[in-house]
Amino acid sequence: MTKDHAPLIVVSGPAGVGKTTVVTRLLEGTNLCLRRAITATTREPRPGEVDGTDYYFWSEGEFRATIDSGRMLEWAVVFGRDFYGTPRSEVDEYRARGVGVILVIDVQGAARVRELLPNYHLSVFIEPPSFEELEARLRGRKDMPEERVLRRLATARDELTQADKFHHRIVNRDLSEAVRELERVIRERFNN
Ligand code: 5GP
């Protein structure tokens, strides 16, 4: 990948902060030529999630085989439990064709992209207005057992300490404002 390719944008932050919603809204309303990469996971689909739209839902065997054949850009075990990762096919071909790609990934994945492509990506950390707000949002999902909520909160505490490693930080207090701010930093960085 070179700087001649279309932009690669990493949007990260704790689970439950609303980063997928911010990115989905941005893509609905922008004229920037961008798409969100569909990433892969070994976790079970939640009700309503569709394979190939929300994620590629893979078995652990499929996931490991894809890593072993060098076809993952980055991957991580998230919450000590499931594999998550970005297939290269979701990124390289699009960027080469002039389509910018947004990765909505955890901070471990963001760290990996930082190592791989230090100068050729833009990274944005989405943070909650407060830790209590994040807790309320995670509990509001109601589709997750308590033990998993606690695990996500413990991970989030740790992730929030890494916010200053990103090019930009955006507080998701108001969705429309967060979307506007994300679009602004993307345009600013890529002169568009
Ligand atoms: P969830 O299970 O709530 O959909 O996602 C859990 C966490 O994994 C979220 O922070 C999400 O952004 C992150 N995630 C999703 N896809 C990827 C990926 O491809 N790579 C990495 N490193 N994290 C991912």
Side-chain angles (χ1 to χ4, degrees), residues 19 39 43 46 55 74 84-86 104-106 109 152:
K19 49 193 193 292
T39 62
R43 81 152 163 73
R46 297 195 189 111
Y55 280 106
E74 62 76 35
Y84 290 80
T86 311
V104 184
I105 59 179
D106 86 324
R152 283 174 182 239

Side-chain angles (χ1 to χ4, degrees), residues 8-24:
L8 178 65
I9 298 146
V10 172
V11 175
S12 192
V17 78
K19 49 193 193 292
T20 305
T21 310
V22 172
V23 168
T24 304

Side-chain angles (χ1 to χ4, degrees), residues 165-183:
K165 296 187 177 150
F166 290 74
H167 295 119
H168 293 278
R169 298 165 71 151
I170 297 176
V171 178
N172 187 16
R173 184 172 288 109
D174 173 82
L175 178 60
S176 307
E177 248 174 60
V179 171
R180 263 201 306 279
E181 182 64 3
L182 180 60
E183 180 157 11

Side-chain angles (χ1 to χ4, degrees), residues 56-176:
Y56 297 111
F57 293 102
W58 289 350
S59 68
E60 197 172 316
E62 277 174 288
F63 205 104
R64 286 184 187 280
T66 311
I67 297 172
D68 291 346
S69 62
R71 284 180 287 141
M72 293 305 254
L73 173 66
E74 62 76 35
W75 61 274
V77 175
V78 179
F79 312 125
R81 169 189 170 105
D82 290 301
F83 288 80
Y84 290 80
T86 311
R88 287 185 188 279
S89 57
E90 283 289 310
V91 179
D92 300 353
E93 293 147 32
Y94 290 96
R95 292 185 67 215
R97 275 197 269 133
V99 181
V101 175
I102 306 191
L103 306 182
V104 184
I105 59 179
D106 86 324
V107 296
Q108 303 173 78
R112 186 71 190 126
V113 174
R114 196 177 299 126
E115 263 171 39
L116 287 170
L117 299 163
N119 301 317
Y120 300 126
H121 77 290
L122 171 73
S123 67
V124 179
F125 188 88
I126 311 270
E127 49 194 338
S130 67
F131 195 78
E132 291 66 34
E133 179 81 17
L134 182 68
E135 179 163 7
R137 287 184 198 177
L138 274 175
R139 291 191 186 285
R141 278 186 179 174
K142 292 197 172 79
D143 55 3
M144 217 183 286
E146 176 67 10
E147 158 242 319
R148 279 220 219 169
V149 172
L150 292 176
R151 173 111 216 185
R152 283 174 182 239
L153 287 171
T155 305
R157 260 191 211 290
D158 192 49
E159 291 174 331
L160 288 167
T161 65
Q162 315 216 21
D164 58 1
K165 296 187 177 150
F166 290 74
H167 295 119
H168 293 278
R169 298 165 71 151
I170 297 176
V171 178
N172 187 16
R173 184 172 288 109
D174 173 82
L175 178 60
S176 307

